[in-house]
Amino acid sequence: MSIKNFIYVLLACYAATFLRLLIDNNLIISIVGSFLFGLIISKNLNSVTKKILLTGFFSCFTSFSGFIYFLYEILNQGNWIKFIIFLNLIITINLFTMLFGVWISSKFT
C-alpha cells in the first residue's frame, strides 16, 4: 500500500472516530455500521477503496471494544441472564442488519 493510501486510511479512521463520538450510542453505531458494512462488501469496489472503508472507517466506527465494554458492564452487575440475552441479541441483530445491507445493495446494482 502506498503512503497516499495509508493517509486515506488514517483520515477514514479519524472521520469514523469523530462520528462515533458524536453518536455516542453503541447499539445505534453497531446497527448502522453493520448495515453500511453490508452495503460496501457487496459493491464492486477496487481493493484499495475497500481497504480504506472496511479497515479504516468501519474498524474505528464499529469498534469491538465498545461492544465488549457494554457487555462487561452488564457482567460487572452480576446479571448473567441479561448478559446472555444482550450478547445473542446484539450479534443476531448485527448479522441480519449486515445481510439486509447486502440485500439492499444488490437491489440497486
Side-chain angles (χ1 to χ4, degrees):
M1 182 182 284
S2 70
I3 295 293
K4 179 177 144 185
N5 292 336
F6 184 71
I7 291 171
Y8 288 149
V9 170
L10 290 176
L11 290 173
C13 291
Y14 174 76
T17 303
F18 181 73
L19 283 175
R20 183 175 178 82
L21 290 173
L22 284 177
I23 296 172
D24 195 31
N25 184 319
N26 284 328
L27 184 61
I28 291 173
I29 288 171
S30 182
I31 291 171
V32 169
S34 294
F35 176 74
L36 294 174
F37 196 91
L39 287 175
I40 297 300
I41 62 171
S42 63
K43 292 291 183 191
N44 190 16
L45 302 173
N46 65 39
S47 66
V48 173
T49 304
K50 277 192 176 183
K51 282 182 185 178
I52 291 169
L53 291 173
L54 300 179
T55 304
F57 185 82
F58 289 110
S59 292
C60 289
F61 185 67
T62 61
S63 172
F64 187 68
S65 60
F67 168 66
I68 294 301
Y69 181 69
F70 174 74
L71 292 175
Y72 168 77
E73 286 183 336
I74 294 172
L75 269 180
N76 212 18
Q77 297 168 0
N79 196 338
W80 284 92
I81 293 174
K82 187 176 179 181
F83 169 78
I84 292 169
I85 289 170
F86 273 102
L87 175 67
N88 290 306
L89 188 63
I90 291 170
I91 290 172
T92 303
I93 287 172
N94 285 316
L95 177 62
F96 283 111
T97 304
M98 187 187 79
L99 290 173
F100 181 66
V102 170
W103 181 75
I104 290 290
S105 180
S106 69
K107 294 296 179 188
F108 292 107
T109 336

